[in-house]
Amino acid sequence: MEWFKKWIDTLYNTFIVDDRYMTLVSGFEKTIVITLGALVIGVLIGTVVAVIKVFADGNKKLRFLDILCNIYLTIIRGTPVVVQLLISFFIIFVSAKDGTIVAIITFGINSGAYVAETIRSGIMAVDPGQMEAGRALGFSKLKTMQYIILPQALKNILPAIGNEMIALLKETSVAGYVAVVDITKAANQIKNTTYDHINPILLVALVYLALVIGLTKLLGIFERRLRKSER
């Protein structure tokens, strides 16, 4: 049991001394804030892009917007999120003092490119007759999309949005590149201070694993309830 006692002493010196665990708590909070903020931005951008692409199909008046959306999708999906983060912080928002806001915006823009295709596929899966029914009731195409099509599409793609949240949660681990002390960066700081190269990293890995498992379980419960409500 000598090894166990040494391990406990190491944990104490690594996390408890000087209240270093509070750095992890603060980093955890920042990780959650970035994830949720980016998800909201991603869903908003993704919805707008998806609607534009659906309306632009066969509509020459929206061709320019469709081209802009395609450029956005190509650039964002064709470059690593770390590179996008560095460009945002050191080039676009060079005067920004808080990397957290930059991270939220960057991850949100990145997420929007993937959410857009998810939402577009959800819209395309809705019976085309729904649009015709809305138009017959006197709604414009935009109002029909807002009140009839999107609610049905979002119900079908909510599980995919949940998966996007899980992906975002893991992607935020690179936020430390722009001076954001998220939970991964906090663990790295503790590692450099205490020279304990094992426990801080393993703890962060366990935290991410627990979060992903928990979110996956909740997503599974949500999906089952959605299926029951459709019967």
Side-chain angles (χ1 to χ4, degrees):
M1 296 295 291
E2 186 66 25
W3 66 269
F4 183 74
K5 183 179 178 182
K6 288 182 178 180
W7 182 57
I8 294 298
D9 289 339
T10 300
L11 291 179
Y12 180 83
N13 292 327
T14 300
F15 299 113
I16 306 302
V17 172
D18 295 331
D19 293 333
R20 294 191 188 100
Y21 70 93
M22 290 303 298
T23 305
L24 289 172
V25 173
S26 177
F28 175 79
E29 292 174 351
K30 196 152 290 187
T31 294
I32 298 300
V33 168
I34 293 173
T35 302
L36 294 178
L39 184 67
V40 171
I41 293 175
V43 170
L44 290 175
I45 292 176
T47 301
V48 171
V49 171
V51 170
I52 289 174
K53 289 190 68 63
V54 170
F55 281 163
D57 187 19
N59 189 337
K60 293 182 179 180
K61 293 181 180 179
L62 296 177
R63 181 171 175 77
F64 178 69
L65 290 178
D66 186 44
I67 291 173
L68 288 180
C69 289
N70 287 332
I71 292 173
Y72 159 71
L73 293 173
T74 300
I75 292 175
I76 296 301
R77 293 194 295 182
T79 55
V81 67
V82 177
V83 175
Q84 296 168 18
L85 197 60
L86 293 175
I87 291 173
S88 294
F89 190 73
F90 293 107
I91 299 177
I92 299 176
F93 301 106
V94 66
S95 61
K97 296 181 179 179
D98 187 1
T100 302
I101 301 300
V102 176
I104 290 174
I105 294 172
T106 305
F107 285 118
I109 293 173
N110 178 271
S111 176
Y114 297 94
V115 171
E117 288 303 303
T118 300
I119 294 178
R120 190 173 75 88
S121 64
I123 292 174
M124 299 303 291
V126 176
D127 188 341
Q130 297 292 318
M131 176 62 76
E132 296 173 5
R135 297 286 287 156
L137 291 172
F139 289 121
S140 64
K141 283 188 176 181
L142 192 59
K143 291 294 183 181
T144 303
M145 179 66 70
Q146 180 181 353
Y147 294 115
I148 299 177
I149 306 298
L150 277 179
Q152 296 181 62
L154 289 176
K155 184 178 180 181
N156 294 329
I157 64 173
L158 278 177
I161 300 298
N163 287 326
E164 175 62 22
M165 181 178 179
I166 292 174
L168 260 177
L169 174 67
K170 293 183 288 185
E171 286 177 355
T172 58
S173 61
V174 301
Y177 279 92
V178 293
V180 176
V181 185
D182 66 319
I183 190 170
T184 303
K185 183 70 172 180
N188 193 52
Q189 289 181 346
I190 293 174
K191 175 178 70 69
N192 293 335
T193 301
T194 63
Y195 299 103
D196 181 355
H197 298 281
I198 298 176
N199 292 305
I201 295 174
L202 287 180
L203 178 60
V204 169
L206 288 173
V207 170
Y208 275 114
L209 182 61
L211 284 172
V212 170
I213 291 175
L215 288 173
T216 302
K217 293 285 186 183
L218 288 175
L219 191 58
I221 294 172
F222 185 66
E223 287 179 357
R224 286 194 293 272
R225 288 185 176 179
L226 276 180
R227 285 196 295 268
K228 287 181 180 178
S229 66
E230 292 174 354
R231 294 174 183 174

